[in-house]
Amino acid sequence: MIISETVDCIESYSDKYSKMKYFSNSWNRIDATAIVIYVIGIIFRLQPVESYYHVGRALIACNSVILFIRLLTLFEYKLSLGPILLMIREMCKDVLVFVILLIICLLGFGVAYAALVIPPSRFTWKSLSAIFVYPYFQMFGEFYIEVFEKQEESGYIEKDATSNDPGSNFTVGQSYVAMALLVFWLILSAVTLVNLLIAMFSDTYRCIKDNQLIIWKYQRYRLLSEYRASYVPPPFSFIHYIIRGISACVRRCSSHRKTSDGRHSEANYWKDCMIRTFMQDARDEYLSQEDSRKESNQILNKLEAVESHLKVIRRVGNRTSSLYA
């Protein structure tokens, strides 16, 4: 995998007819991330220090998740599953926006909770985690009612501090304010933000579902354009990759010179054919949608004209009836 992805990266930058560089593809970025994490994990595991060994083991274990996610690219050729992968990727962007809004609101309520529940004289570095723990777990049903109603002490304060400090007492007024903040936080997080995320998901799903066929054709073209046949069976296929890498480096070095006949290579020829086929299909799809839209507009215009004529006929009829009356 390391050799093949390295060769693909070299080829993408050596091909002057390439429209898409290596790192512009999200799957290639996932491959590069997996390779980097794997190499770092192997380096840590080879160290004689035991703590480094466990760090490397953890990195390799996390890398297995990325490798299994990479298998999803095999479903891009399916019409029913290919656009769904794009939906998941776009929904992840929606989740990123949601998380930013959530963190801002979470920090605001978390600081308020910590200021009310934890006295200033008993505040420690451990108390900083209460800023995130209290509002985060309240979203999932852990409300910390016992702490807010003074039935038990918070676990994020210093135990051996003196209680003679007037700022170390949690008053009844502070308890009421904490409970009011809890109500507002639940309304904001469980109702407003969650429904906003659902609405963003629905809009993303609708936009991709409307263009499902075009998206699937493009995904199929991209999957076919990345395919490179290997004439040497594994485990000797690395010889084929080495030859490809050398030829890509040669093309890179001689890319500034034009060929005598000006013709592309066979691979570029078929790539151009696939691009033209995809553009033709996309254009036909767009023209058919435009034709249907024009027909619907013509029907609406005719209906509006009929309605206007009916209004004129009604006015003439009313005037005629008034004259006879």
Side-chain angles (χ1 to χ4, degrees):
M1 179 180 177
I2 296 176
I3 298 176
S4 63
E5 292 300 323
T6 304
V7 172
D8 289 340
C9 182
I10 295 173
E11 285 184 342
S12 65
Y13 286 96
S14 63
D15 188 3
K16 64 179 180 179
Y17 301 107
S18 179
K19 304 292 184 181
M20 180 178 58
K21 299 301 182 181
Y22 179 81
F23 288 103
S24 63
N25 190 346
S26 58
W27 294 115
N28 290 336
R29 291 196 295 269
I30 292 176
D31 290 337
T33 303
I35 291 171
V36 171
I37 294 176
Y38 178 76
V39 171
I40 295 175
I42 291 297
I43 292 174
F44 273 100
R45 288 199 64 176
L46 295 178
Q47 300 299 320
V49 184
E50 185 179 359
S51 59
Y52 289 167
Y53 173 83
H54 293 296
V55 171
R57 184 178 179 183
L59 288 175
I60 295 176
C62 295
N63 194 36
S64 63
V65 178
I66 302 177
L67 294 177
F68 276 101
I69 292 175
R70 184 63 177 86
L71 294 176
L72 293 175
T73 188
L74 300 176
F75 300 103
E76 283 190 342
Y77 74 97
K78 296 286 291 183
L79 179 59
S80 59
L81 297 177
I84 292 178
L85 298 180
L86 182 60
M87 291 179 189
I88 295 173
R89 187 176 65 183
E90 295 299 324
M91 286 180 180
C92 289
K93 297 179 182 179
D94 296 337
V95 170
L96 181 61
V97 177
F98 170 78
V99 168
I100 293 173
L101 296 175
L102 180 65
I103 289 176
I104 294 174
C105 298
L106 185 143
L107 288 176
F109 283 90
V111 170
Y113 286 146
L116 292 172
V117 176
I118 303 174
S121 60
R122 305 178 68 180
F123 194 89
T124 60
W125 288 105
K126 181 182 177 182
S127 304
L128 290 175
S129 59
I131 297 175
F132 301 94
V133 171
Y134 282 152
Y136 180 77
F137 284 101
Q138 283 172 356
M139 296 173 56
F140 303 101
E142 183 62 40
F143 301 134
Y144 298 98
I145 300 296
E146 297 82 5
V147 177
F148 293 160
E149 292 182 349
K150 302 192 304 180
Q151 297 180 7
E152 64 180 34
E153 196 175 48
S154 174
Y156 299 97
I157 61 177
E158 188 178 359
K159 299 298 182 181
D160 56 351
T162 59
S163 60
N164 297 326
D165 189 356
S168 63
N169 296 323
F170 185 43
T171 62
V172 178
Q174 291 176 338
S175 175
Y176 289 154
V177 173
M179 293 297 295
L181 288 176
L182 173 60
V183 173
F184 284 114
W185 168 242
L186 292 178
I187 294 175
L188 180 63
S189 62
V191 179
T192 306
L193 292 179
V194 172
N195 283 281
L196 174 63
L197 180 63
I198 294 172
M200 294 169 65
F201 282 171
S202 300
D203 183 67
T204 301
Y205 177 83
R206 179 183 56 80
C207 292
I208 297 177
K209 192 69 175 178
D210 293 340
N211 302 296
Q212 180 178 4
L213 185 60
I214 298 176
I215 292 171
W216 171 70
K217 289 180 179 179
Y218 175 72
Q219 288 178 336
R220 185 177 61 174
Y221 152 72
R222 189 176 62 181
L223 189 63
L224 292 174
S225 64
E226 292 179 355
Y227 176 74
R228 298 292 185 274
S230 177
Y231 303 102
V232 183
F236 304 105
S237 57
F238 71 93
I239 301 174
H240 171 72
Y241 291 119
I242 292 175
I243 296 173
R244 280 176 52 192
I246 294 173
S247 62
C249 292
V250 172
R251 288 199 307 269
R252 181 65 176 174
C253 294
S254 60
S255 60
H256 63 280
R257 294 178 299 177
K258 295 182 179 180
T259 57
S260 58
D261 54 356
R263 293 176 298 177
H264 302 335
S265 62
E266 184 179 357
N268 291 324
Y269 172 76
W270 287 110
K271 185 183 294 185
D272 293 339
C273 290
M274 286 187 289
I275 292 174
R276 285 195 297 270
T277 303
F278 168 74
M279 295 299 294
Q280 182 68 26
D281 293 341
R283 187 177 66 85
D284 294 341
E285 184 71 20
Y286 175 76
L287 291 176
S288 63
Q289 293 178 359
E290 286 293 324
D291 292 339
S292 61
R293 190 179 296 110
K294 289 180 180 178
E295 291 178 358
S296 61
N297 291 332
Q298 291 177 358
I299 293 173
L300 291 176
N301 293 331
K302 290 180 180 179
L303 289 175
E304 291 176 356
V306 171
E307 289 180 357
S308 62
H309 289 309
L310 287 175
K311 290 179 180 179
V312 173
I313 293 172
R314 290 194 189 98
R315 286 198 298 267
V316 173
N318 293 331
R319 290 179 181 178
T320 304
S321 60
S322 64
L323 290 174
Y324 281 108

